[in-house]
Amino acid sequence: MILRFGDFVVDSDARLLYGSGKPIHLPPKAFNLLLALLDERPKVLSKEDLMERLWPGTYVQEVNLSNVIGELRAALGNRSSGRRYIRTVHGVGYAFAADVQEEPAAANANAARPPTSRIIWGTTMIAVPDGATIIGRDESAGIVLDETTVSRRHAQITVRGGEATLEDLGSQNGTWVNESRLDGPVALADGDRVRFGLVHVIYRTTSPAMTTIPIPQA
């Protein structure tokens, strides 16, 4: 199901959030919180109910829920606009407050998912912009992978016209695509398994039939 509110689009099946056509990263619990509030709208969900949904069978302090609420509101804009979508009912809990349009995912896949490339690292989705992007441990890299086996300027991914190529930049531990070490630029395909040193990621392109591919552990 595709859900639209304001400038935002939620693809619940692909677990993607877009704002003004651009992908927005949400931590897993913040995304689960968003789905819970959308599913039950306009009902107010108690703090106890939400904590059980996010941390089933686990005792957590209420501040943990407040932190996730803050993450969600930040993703939906500044403080005022975030509160416009997520309403606080003091002493009770939270509710989704905006009007929502529901659309079948298959019929609106292209509108809901603008062409984009992504790197999936564990539970983190990293959008890859058009053009050349450096991947590495250095804070100045376009995509930062802060792991010791990743070189400061490890590799470069280039996206043009929906096509992506990847090349190693002389890294110490190498760049691998589907367990073949790169010795020159290589074209990437949707679902390719990429390894930077010991960091495993999945390269994805937008597809209505996108499925989750487990990432092997080092």
Side-chain angles (χ1 to χ4, degrees), residues 51 70 80 96 141 150 165 185 198:
M51 287 190 287
S80 61
F96 196 84
V150 177
T165 58
L198 294 179

Side-chain angles (χ1 to χ4, degrees), residues 9-26:
V9 175
V10 176
D11 185 333
S12 57
D13 292 335
R15 292 183 62 85
L16 294 175
L17 170 67
Y18 294 96
S20 300
K22 298 179 181 179
I24 298 174
H25 170 64
L26 264 184

Side-chain angles (χ1 to χ4, degrees), residues 37 41-42 83-88 95-100:
L37 293 173
R41 68 186 190 280
R83 290 182 182 277
R84 176 161 63 97
Y85 296 115
I86 309 300
R87 180 168 63 95
T88 299
F96 196 84
D99 292 333
V100 178

Side-chain angles (χ1 to χ4, degrees), residues 29-34 36-37 44-55 58-73 86-89 91-95:
K29 290 195 183 302
F31 198 92
N32 291 343
L33 172 63
L34 175 60
L37 293 173
V44 177
L45 294 179
S46 70
K47 296 176 183 179
E48 293 76 12
D49 185 359
L50 288 171
M51 287 190 287
E52 178 60 28
R53 292 181 186 225
L54 298 179
W55 296 276
T58 303
Y59 171 78
V60 295
Q61 295 183 337
E62 189 176 307
V63 67
N64 291 286
L65 176 61
S66 298
N67 291 337
V68 179
I69 287 286
E71 290 176 342
L72 178 55
R73 281 177 168 157
I86 309 300
R87 180 168 63 95
T88 299
V89 181
V92 182
Y94 301 91

